[in-house]
């Protein structure tokens, strides 16, 4: 059951005719909650709600069985002051993708490989349930080993007998006997550390970010969007995607028209996708040329070869002209004015070295491989020494001080800082896998750890930048959209400067959908309180009503003047040609913003319990009450039982 947007009720919590809460759509009812609870034992039915069903809802709420309430969804469009929006944002549930959407993660060079790809459903399982421990052995082999040990009852040689019988290693059997092995481990830290591909919206180039949360959004109506290059993504119509016209909801971008189970697009749209090498983009290459960069500098910036850049400069018609060649001012070519000469074939030692450097090794067209690189040899040697290093430090991480099953040998002075210490045993120390990743997160963290062990250490030079080609987002036409029914949906919250990620190769926004001052000019809509409150003397987060000591007129005048100056400065910056994304920085928190919020019933009740509470901000409480007023008629039994429990 879905409420059409055209019939959606709207409430104005602040009474000023601007701030509003509108019901956009909803899926489900009280009966769906009951059926979700009973489906596991075949007790769901289409019969009307009865007394027994109401008792079940009361039981679920009383004993905090939340999952049956997650299959119903309510979407609100909220127009509120920014300071109210910030109070609500911690509890929002965003628009969604289906579980088969593949999220792109990259390695340290910014490159994606198949083993790094995860579907949203996989990420949710890892986030909520964890994952199988890497040291977990097959249950049958473990049972065999433990059975032999029980029968041996402490007899000498029992451990060796158990090892032979099970086929497991000595250390694995000892770990199971000591109880150090668990079936699953918490994976949230691992997910947060994975490098998520995100788009730097200033440069148009892809960089990396990190996941802050993975959320299940319940079952919602979803639509599959197909692009001309074969990419496809299934999502709700309110999920925002990056188009050639900026951020838009999928429904807005396509002009989505829904008639029953048929979905059609009424306008042409281009979604931004990843994977275009920057040197293939003429605008990027032209910008590099305009900055006066040489072919080699452009190649270094793009992460490709000199010859590739020369080729694509020609493709784009951006070749270097004769007068741009790197000759010093006043240079005279050695052969000017000469004719009929024959250059003597005399090679200096420097000339021979240059020829060898240009044509030997990997640069030769006869190259068929070679000896291992220096870096590979250092890695091999370090691994060979790791056992001795761990014994030296009693198998204890020298960063966190704990004994862990997965230990690494770490160079105190990094290889990039001093090659002469790369094969020095005294330069190695034991760290656990988690600490090792954190140490190598930046040059500053490497230096900080090195100075923990040796305060006098100095790291010379700069850590090499990650290799890998730079990729640019580019538009691809949408060719088809189709309705796929109601399916489980999920979403991610992304930490960092750029609130987006790549799913199935398409750039999408993370969960919260808010009007963006980067793409539209903000309207002159300011919230002014009808009366001003005083700071609570005993609670720095609360306020109390004015007892007559506040000069209300003076406070209102200060508020109005601050707004006038701030919005005037915003308009003046735009007039001067400053980009919208920077000009909006002077706008105050009283500015009205617009957002879509989608809750499942469980998260909505949790939100109302926190934000319609005597300790919450007054304006935020008004919005929470408006949401409850719109949602309660849709789930009357659930709200009635919930209110009785919270009286």
């Amino acid at each position: 059951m879905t409420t059409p947007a055209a019939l959606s009720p709207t409430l104005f919590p602040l009474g000023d005719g601007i701030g509003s809460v509108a019901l956009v759509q909803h899926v489900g009812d009280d009966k769906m909650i009951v059926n979700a609870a009973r489906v596991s034992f075949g007790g769901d039915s289409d019969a009307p709600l009865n007394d027994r069903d109401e008792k079940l809802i009361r039981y679920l709420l009383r004993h905090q069985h939340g999952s049956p309430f997650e299959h119903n969804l309510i979407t609100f469009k909220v127009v509120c002051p920014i300071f109210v929006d910030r109070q609500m944002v911690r509890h929002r549930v965003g628009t969604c993708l289906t579980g088969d959407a593949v999220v792109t993660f990259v390695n340290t060079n910014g490159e994606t490989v198949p083993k790094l790809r995860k579907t949203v459903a996989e990420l949710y399982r890892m986030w909520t349930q964890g994952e199988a421990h890497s040291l977990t052995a097959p249950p049958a082999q473990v049972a065999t080993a433990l059975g032999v040990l029980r029968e041996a009852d402490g007899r000498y040689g029992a451990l060796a007998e158990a090892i032979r019988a099970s086929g497991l290693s000595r250390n694995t059997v000892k770990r199971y006997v000591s109880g150090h092995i668990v079936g699953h481990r918490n994976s949230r830290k691992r997910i947060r550390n994975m490098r998520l591909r995100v788009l730097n919206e200033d440069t148009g180039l892809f960089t990396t970010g990190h996941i802050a949360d993975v959320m299940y959004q319940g079952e919602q109506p979803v639509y599959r969007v197909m692009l001309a290059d074969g990419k496809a993504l299934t999502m709700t119509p309110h999920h925002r995607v990056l188009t050639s016209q900026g951020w838009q909801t999928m429904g807005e971008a396509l002009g989505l028209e829904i008639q029953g189970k048929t979905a059609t697009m009424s306008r042409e749209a281009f979604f931004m996708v990843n994977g275009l090498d920057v040197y293939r983009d003429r605008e990027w290459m032209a910008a590099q040329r305009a900055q006066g960069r040489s072919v080699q500098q452009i190649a270094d910036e793009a992460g490709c070869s000199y010859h590739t850049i020369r080729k694509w400069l020609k493709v784009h018609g951006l070749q270097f002209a004769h007068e741009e060649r790197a000759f010093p001012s006043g240079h005279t070519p050695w052969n000017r004015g000469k004719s009929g000469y024959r250059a003597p074939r005399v090679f200096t030692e420097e000339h021979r070295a240059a020829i060898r450097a240009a044509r030997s090794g990997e640069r030769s067209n006869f190259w068929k491989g070679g000896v291992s690189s220096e870096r590979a040899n250092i890695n091999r040697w370090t691994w060979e020494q790791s056992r001795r290093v761990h014994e030296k430090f009693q198998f204890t991480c020298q960063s966190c001080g704990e004994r862990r099953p997965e230990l690494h040998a770490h160079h105190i002075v990094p290889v990039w800082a001093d090659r002469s210490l790369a094969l020095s045993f005294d330069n190695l120390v034991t760290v656990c896998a988690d600490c090792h990743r954190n140490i190598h997160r930046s040059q500053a963290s490497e230096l900080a750890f090195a100075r923990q062990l040796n305060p006098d250490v100095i790291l010379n030079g700069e850590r090499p930048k990650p290799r890998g080609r730079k990729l640019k987002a580019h538009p691809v036409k949408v060719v088809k959209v189709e309705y796929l029914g109601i399916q489980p949906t999920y979403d991610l919250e992304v930490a960092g400067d750029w609130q987006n990620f790549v799913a199935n190769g398409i750039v999408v926004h993370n969960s919260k959908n808010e009007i963006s001052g980067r793409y539209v000019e903000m309207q002159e809509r300011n919230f002014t309180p009808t009366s001003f409150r005083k700071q609570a003397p005993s609670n720095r987060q609360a306020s109390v009503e004015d007892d007559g000591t506040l000069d209300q007129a003076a406070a209102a005048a200060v508020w109005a003047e601050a707004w006038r100056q701030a919005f005037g400065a915003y308009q003046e910056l735009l007039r001067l040609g400053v980009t919208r994304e920077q000009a909006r920085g002077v706008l105050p928190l009283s500015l009205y913003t617009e957002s879509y919020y989608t809750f499942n019933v469980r998260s909505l009740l949790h939100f109302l319990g926190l934000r319609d509470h005597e300790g919450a901000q007054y304006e935020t409480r008004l919005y929470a009450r408006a949401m409850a007023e719109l949602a309660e008629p849709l789930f009357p039994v659930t709200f009635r039982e919930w209110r009785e429990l919270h009286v």
Side-chain angles (χ1 to χ4, degrees):
M1 181 171 62
T2 303
T3 301
L7 302 177
S8 60
T10 301
L11 300 178
F12 297 89
L14 302 178
D16 58 1
I18 302 176
S20 63
V21 178
L23 177 63
V24 177
Q25 67 174 15
H26 87 278
V27 175
D29 52 17
D30 288 322
K31 186 63 180 181
M32 182 178 284
I33 296 172
V34 172
N35 283 338
R38 290 178 172 154
V39 69
S40 58
F41 51 87
D44 56 323
S45 71
D46 296 329
L49 204 70
N50 55 40
D51 291 342
R52 186 164 169 263
D53 295 333
E54 294 182 11
K55 290 180 181 179
L56 175 58
I57 292 176
R58 185 183 307 119
Y59 175 86
L60 295 172
L61 289 169
R62 189 179 301 277
H63 293 83
Q64 299 182 351
H65 294 304
S67 58
F69 298 91
E70 294 179 350
H71 302 279
N72 303 268
L73 295 169
I74 310 171
T75 299
F76 302 102
K77 182 179 181 180
V78 179
V79 180
C80 64
I82 292 176
F83 68 85
V84 173
D85 183 75
R86 296 301 178 263
Q87 288 288 310
M88 298 194 297
V89 71
R90 293 297 301 167
H91 304 282
R92 86 272 187 249
V93 178
T95 49
C96 323
L97 306 172
T98 53
D100 59 355
V102 178
V103 179
T104 301
F105 294 93
V106 298
N107 59 23
T108 54
N109 293 329
E111 301 164 343
T112 181
V113 293
K115 69 177 182 179
L116 293 178
R117 295 171 189 159
K118 300 287 184 185
T119 65
V120 181
E122 285 179 298
L123 290 172
Y124 181 72
R125 284 195 298 271
M126 292 171 64
W127 188 263
T128 57
Q129 302 174 16
E131 57 186 329
H133 200 290
S134 59
L135 297 175
T136 302
Q141 292 177 273
V142 174
T144 299
L146 297 180
V148 170
L149 291 173
R150 279 194 297 269
E151 293 177 4
D153 194 21
R155 188 181 73 248
Y156 179 78
L159 182 61
E161 185 179 341
I163 292 168
R164 287 193 298 271
S166 64
L168 300 174
S169 71
R170 181 184 186 88
N171 285 338
T172 299
V173 174
K174 290 176 69 175
R175 289 191 186 103
Y176 273 97
V177 172
S178 62
H180 288 167
I181 295 295
V182 294
H184 286 78
R185 60 181 175 188
N186 189 307
S187 299
R188 293 196 176 189
K189 185 174 182 180
R190 180 189 169 204
I191 292 176
R192 290 192 183 104
N193 287 335
M194 293 170 67
R195 299 173 185 86
L196 180 71
R197 175 170 284 174
V198 301
L199 180 68
N200 182 323
E201 297 174 32
D202 286 342
T203 64
L205 302 181
F206 287 96
T207 180
T208 56
H210 297 278
I211 290 176
D213 198 3
V214 185
M215 299 165 287
Y216 175 65
Q217 307 289 59
E219 296 183 350
Q220 300 190 63
V222 294
Y223 301 81
R224 175 177 292 160
V225 179
M226 285 156 278
L227 308 187
D229 64 354
K231 292 183 176 66
L233 183 63
T234 306
M235 69 187 96
T236 58
H238 293 295
H239 201 96
R240 294 177 78 196
V241 294
L242 186 59
T243 72
S244 56
Q245 304 301 313
W247 287 108
Q248 295 179 306
T249 66
M250 182 267 282
E252 293 171 346
L254 303 184
L256 192 65
E257 297 179 354
I258 304 170
Q259 295 181 346
K261 295 185 178 181
T262 303
T264 57
M265 46 189 290
S266 61
R267 64 171 65 106
E268 187 177 69
F270 293 82
F271 286 3
M272 304 300 287
V273 304
N274 77 158
L276 182 71
D277 295 294
V278 289
Y279 53 76
R280 296 175 183 266
D281 184 76
R282 193 182 190 283
E283 288 185 15
W284 186 86
M285 291 285 274
Q288 302 300 310
R289 290 280 282 106
Q291 294 173 20
R293 294 188 172 181
S294 67
V295 174
Q296 189 58 57
Q297 288 173 329
I298 299 175
D300 292 340
E301 182 66 21
C304 61
S305 71
Y306 175 95
H307 300 288
T308 298
I309 294 299
R310 283 194 61 185
K311 169 190 171 182
W312 282 93
L313 284 172
K314 184 175 181 181
V315 170
H316 298 313
L318 297 172
Q319 305 99 310
F320 283 80
H322 178 77
E323 58 271 14
E324 294 179 289
R325 292 176 182 171
F327 291 121
S329 178
H331 172 76
T332 302
W334 66 272
N335 59 348
R336 175 174 292 178
K338 297 182 179 180
S339 61
Y341 64 86
R342 181 176 181 181
R345 193 172 178 82
V346 177
F347 296 103
T348 64
E349 188 56 38
E350 291 79 7
H351 191 182
R352 295 179 186 277
I355 293 174
R356 284 194 294 270
R359 298 182 181 178
S360 63
E362 296 181 9
R363 298 176 182 83
S364 171
N365 58 311
F366 296 108
W367 180 256
K368 296 185 182 296
V371 297
S372 299
S373 66
E374 179 187 23
R375 184 71 193 186
N377 282 327
I378 293 172
N379 290 344
R380 174 189 51 77
W381 177 86
T382 304
W383 180 82
E384 290 173 349
Q385 308 305 314
S386 59
R387 179 75 184 186
R388 291 175 54 208
V389 175
H390 302 335
E391 289 175 348
K392 175 182 176 180
F393 293 99
Q394 290 80 48
F395 295 89
T396 302
C397 174
Q398 298 304 294
S399 178
C400 64
E402 296 185 13
R403 293 172 66 92
R404 298 286 187 89
E406 186 178 356
L407 297 173
H408 296 175
H410 167 71
H411 287 83
I412 300 172
V413 177
V415 174
W416 60 262
D418 191 344
R419 293 270 180 173
S420 66
L421 297 177
L423 302 181
S424 171
F425 181 80
D426 293 334
N427 191 41
L428 297 178
V429 67
T430 293
V431 293
C432 67
D434 289 340
C435 291
H436 204 192
R437 280 189 290 269
N438 290 332
I439 291 169
H440 283 301
R441 194 169 293 280
S442 67
Q443 182 170 335
S445 59
E446 290 180 340
L447 177 59
F449 179 71
R451 286 182 174 169
Q452 287 181 17
L453 304 178
N454 181 3
D456 299 325
V457 71
I458 298 175
L459 301 187
N460 296 315
E462 292 188 10
R463 189 167 72 163
K465 294 181 180 179
R467 301 180 301 278
R469 299 174 301 166
K470 286 187 170 58
L471 300 178
K472 193 176 189 297
H474 65 288
V476 176
K477 185 177 180 180
V478 179
V479 295
K480 186 179 180 182
V481 61
E482 60 180 348
Y483 175 64
L484 294 189
I486 297 177
Q487 296 185 15
T489 57
Y490 307 82
D491 208 349
L492 308 180
E493 179 182 345
V494 180
D497 296 332
W498 310 110
Q499 304 298 300
N500 64 71
F501 59 98
V502 177
N504 287 7
I506 300 172
V507 182
V508 298
H509 208 276
N510 82 160
S511 58
K512 181 174 177 288
N513 293 337
E514 181 181 359
I515 188 172
S516 175
R518 299 186 69 226
Y519 304 111
V520 297
E521 184 174 336
M522 303 304 290
Q523 301 179 39
E524 189 174 357
R525 298 188 300 179
N526 172 47
F527 166 71
T528 302
T530 54
S531 65
F532 291 89
R533 302 184 296 276
K534 296 182 64 176
Q535 181 66 44
S538 59
N539 187 344
R540 63 183 181 181
Q541 293 181 314
S543 61
V544 295
E545 293 299 323
D546 178 25
D547 56 3
T549 59
L550 266 180
D551 188 338
Q552 293 284 337
V558 171
W559 185 287
E561 178 62 18
W563 166 258
R564 186 187 66 77
Q565 292 187 5
F567 198 79
Y570 172 70
Q571 292 179 313
E572 179 64 15
L573 289 170
L574 293 179
R575 189 188 67 78
L576 293 172
V578 175
T579 178
R580 288 188 293 265
E581 66 184 26
Q582 290 182 318
R584 63 180 172 170
V586 301
L587 293 171
L589 293 177
S590 60
L591 176 75
Y592 274 98
T593 185
E594 299 178 11
S595 304
Y596 278 96
Y597 285 84
T598 300
F599 297 88
N600 60 50
V601 174
R602 178 184 184 180
S603 63
L604 178 59
L605 295 177
H606 176 63
F607 168 80
L608 295 176
L610 293 173
R611 290 305 177 219
D612 187 10
H613 183 273
E614 61 181 11
Q617 185 178 15
Y618 174 70
E619 290 81 5
T620 306
R621 294 182 67 183
L622 295 180
Y623 275 88
R625 291 171 186 173
M627 291 180 178
E629 185 177 339
L630 293 173
E632 188 163 0
L634 309 176
F635 302 89
V637 176
T638 298
F639 271 81
R640 185 190 70 210
E641 300 297 338
W642 177 75
R643 291 190 189 282
E644 288 183 4
L645 288 174
H646 288 78
V647 172

